[in-house]
Amino acid sequence: MAHATPAASSPPAAAAPALAPAPDVTAPGAGAAGGTGFGLAAWGASIHPGADAVGTALGLPAQIERADVVITGEGRFDNQSAAGKVASYVLGLARQYDAFALLVAGSIETDPDDFAASVSLTELAGSAEAAIGNPKPFLWAAGRALAKGDARTSGEAS
């Protein structure tokens, strides 16, 4: 009696994985963290503003909605600060909920006109080295200046 055996077949070829479109190297966030955003986007990740994502996760909008005054800070407030950094995110929320936004920064390199008042720790300390070396007394001084109305106010020359 004849016995038939099935013909040997090779396994089906695996489909090549679909490649994500090449990310835009000039897209906001592509250069963040040394290009990490660009690398993740090359793998198909989407880039979202970090301040917004972290603020939402922490419930910051709800906290600011109930506030009259909001104090935010940054190491160096410069012309990049308005491009999605934490200070600009907090300022946007303060405006949305009609709260006064105040800024404390290690140094202020560009005019923080949009804030009701601002304080530079470097100016209080006399130098960046002094502010970095012992920040606590200058943070206290910044708080006092904001509370007493002695801080630089919007539109005031530096």
Side-chain angles (χ1 to χ4, degrees):
M1 182 167 206
H3 182 22
T5 58
S9 64
S10 58
L19 297 176
D24 178 3
V25 297
T26 62
T36 301
F38 177 82
L40 292 171
W43 286 344
S46 58
I47 299 174
H48 301 279
D52 184 38
V54 172
T56 299
L58 294 174
L60 194 56
Q63 296 296 319
I64 292 177
E65 183 176 18
R66 295 190 307 266
D68 294 322
V69 176
V70 178
I71 302 172
T72 187
E74 193 163 330
R76 183 174 80 183
F77 185 83
D78 58 20
N79 55 6
Q80 289 186 357
S81 298
K85 287 189 173 183
V86 171
S88 66
Y89 169 71
V90 171
L91 175 63
L93 288 174
R95 283 181 171 164
Q96 180 180 346
Y97 296 116
D98 202 28
F100 285 98
L102 309 175
L103 173 71
V104 175
S107 66
I108 298 176
E109 306 297 322
T110 192
D111 203 353
D113 275 344
D114 295 331
F115 289 90
S118 61
V119 178
S120 163
L121 299 180
T122 297
E123 288 179 17
L124 290 174
S127 71
E129 293 77 20
I132 292 169
N134 187 19
K136 189 174 181 178
F138 305 111
L139 288 167
W140 278 101
R144 277 192 302 276
L146 290 170
K148 291 172 60 179
D150 293 340
R152 177 175 38 200
T153 57
S154 180
E156 190 176 301
S158 347

